[in-house]
Amino acid sequence: MRDYYSNVIKNIQVGYACHRRVNNGKNEDIRYEIIEVNKEFEAILGKSSGELIGRDSSHVMAGFANNGIASRDVHCATHHYGKKVRFKHYSIIRERWYDVDAFRVKDNHIVTILKEVVMPINERPHFFNASQYVDHCNILVDTVMNALFEKNHREMLHSKRVGSLCEAIAENMKGNNIDVKEVTMAGLLHDIGKIAVSNDILDKKGKLITEEWDQIKTHCEKGYRILCGSLAFSRISDFVYEHHERLDGSGYPRGLRKAEISLGARIIAV
């Protein structure tokens, strides 16, 4: 029976690939390599299984320079949250666009399924343009926010409010070399590390005990590690890491003072 399903996968007219996480001992490094492909996947990519097996998944799925960043973000989102993520891939060989569904099948393994998508002629760009890059970057944001919503509705609403306030502050400080989009995104994502904090602690009524408070404090570094593993969001990871630091050095996790704290983190703190 196993051989039967294996033959079906090999010959089905849908691209299939299985990716395994490469663990070099650094938990924040989210990198995958291809370990299995079918004939259709080979045809879409224009490469043989020998050329694909063992290759870095982000490089294989890229096709364009910016798309490599998007692929890395897909791996990060799928790995951390176990969500199915959809993005588009352009086959240079076939000159067609494909919908790619990526999902985690078990720890450290991701499967991608490629299906041809019918697009109107005016929506068939022959290169990977800036607007598509933005759409792909938003894959991670949408996945994170959906995961946060499922875990704790109040926390998601709080994050959205902080993102809006950060945008308003940054807009009024444009003359200070501030990237409004980056600060807004950091405000939206500043508490994503709370994904790893128990809801019993987040929803507790009354004063937290020392051990619980210590757990809360870990969310800054956990959020940083999630974002720094994504090439598209590594620039704002420091803002997330430092958003509970205070000018007088009384904040956490590192007790930074004044100019040691990034401007984006100071805006989020406000």
Side-chain angles (χ1 to χ4, degrees), residues 1-229:
M1 184 63 74
R2 182 175 180 179
D3 290 339
Y4 170 79
Y5 285 116
S6 178
N7 286 329
V8 170
I9 291 174
K10 285 180 181 178
N11 295 292
I12 195 171
Q13 295 302 300
V14 172
Y16 159 85
C18 185
H19 316 256
R20 177 178 59 201
R21 185 185 178 196
V22 179
N23 191 343
N24 64 356
K26 297 181 179 179
N27 292 331
E28 67 272 18
D29 184 37
I30 308 300
R31 190 167 71 85
Y32 281 80
E33 66 178 8
I34 293 179
I35 61 170
E36 186 179 34
V37 297
N38 71 349
K39 292 180 180 179
E40 182 67 4
F41 188 88
E42 294 178 52
I44 294 171
L45 274 292
K47 296 181 183 296
S48 68
S49 60
E51 296 174 290
L52 294 169
I53 303 299
R55 289 279 309 280
D56 185 307
S57 299
S58 294
H59 296 163
V60 171
M61 296 298 295
F64 305 89
N66 284 341
N67 206 7
I69 297 175
S71 296
R72 181 73 173 271
D73 287 338
V74 169
H75 294 153
C76 189
T78 310
H79 173 86
H80 278 295
Y81 305 110
K83 302 288 182 180
K84 184 173 80 170
V85 177
R86 171 167 287 186
F87 63 105
K88 283 184 170 54
H89 174 81
Y90 184 73
S91 170
I92 298 175
I93 299 299
R94 290 185 170 176
E95 298 184 340
R96 301 173 192 168
W97 283 94
Y98 287 82
D99 275 333
V100 183
D101 287 327
F103 50 93
R104 193 172 70 191
V105 290
K106 61 180 180 178
D107 288 345
N108 298 327
H109 286 79
I110 289 174
V111 161
T112 50
I113 302 296
L114 283 70
K115 294 176 289 187
E116 183 179 352
V117 57
V118 178
M119 300 178 71
I121 294 177
N122 63 345
E123 293 182 13
R124 295 179 187 173
H126 61 280
F127 61 91
F128 193 84
N129 61 38
S131 63
Q132 290 162 337
Y133 169 65
V134 171
D135 288 341
H136 280 243
C137 286
N138 284 338
I139 289 172
L140 181 59
V141 179
D142 291 342
T143 304
V144 169
M145 295 312 295
N146 287 336
L148 194 57
F149 175 79
E150 290 177 9
K151 179 179 176 65
N152 193 299
H153 184 64
R154 184 190 66 252
E155 290 291 343
M156 193 192 74
L157 294 177
H158 164 70
S159 294
K160 287 185 174 181
R161 286 195 299 270
V162 172
S164 296
L165 290 170
C166 285
E167 181 179 25
I169 294 172
E171 283 284 356
N172 281 279
M173 296 178 65
K174 273 185 176 179
N176 292 276
N177 293 321
I178 290 178
D179 187 312
V180 176
K181 288 184 178 179
E182 284 187 357
V183 174
T184 303
M185 193 69 69
L188 182 65
L189 298 175
H190 76 287
D191 271 349
I192 65 168
K194 288 184 178 177
I195 289 286
V197 178
S198 167
N199 263 10
D200 291 339
I201 295 177
L202 296 177
D203 291 332
K204 183 177 179 179
K205 299 184 185 302
K207 191 174 181 179
L208 298 177
I209 62 175
T210 301
E211 290 78 9
E212 292 169 334
W213 185 237
D214 287 342
Q215 278 293 308
I216 288 286
K217 288 182 176 181
T218 65
H219 81 278
C220 297
E221 183 173 359
K222 287 174 178 174
Y224 165 78
R225 291 193 177 281
I226 290 171
L227 293 178
C228 75

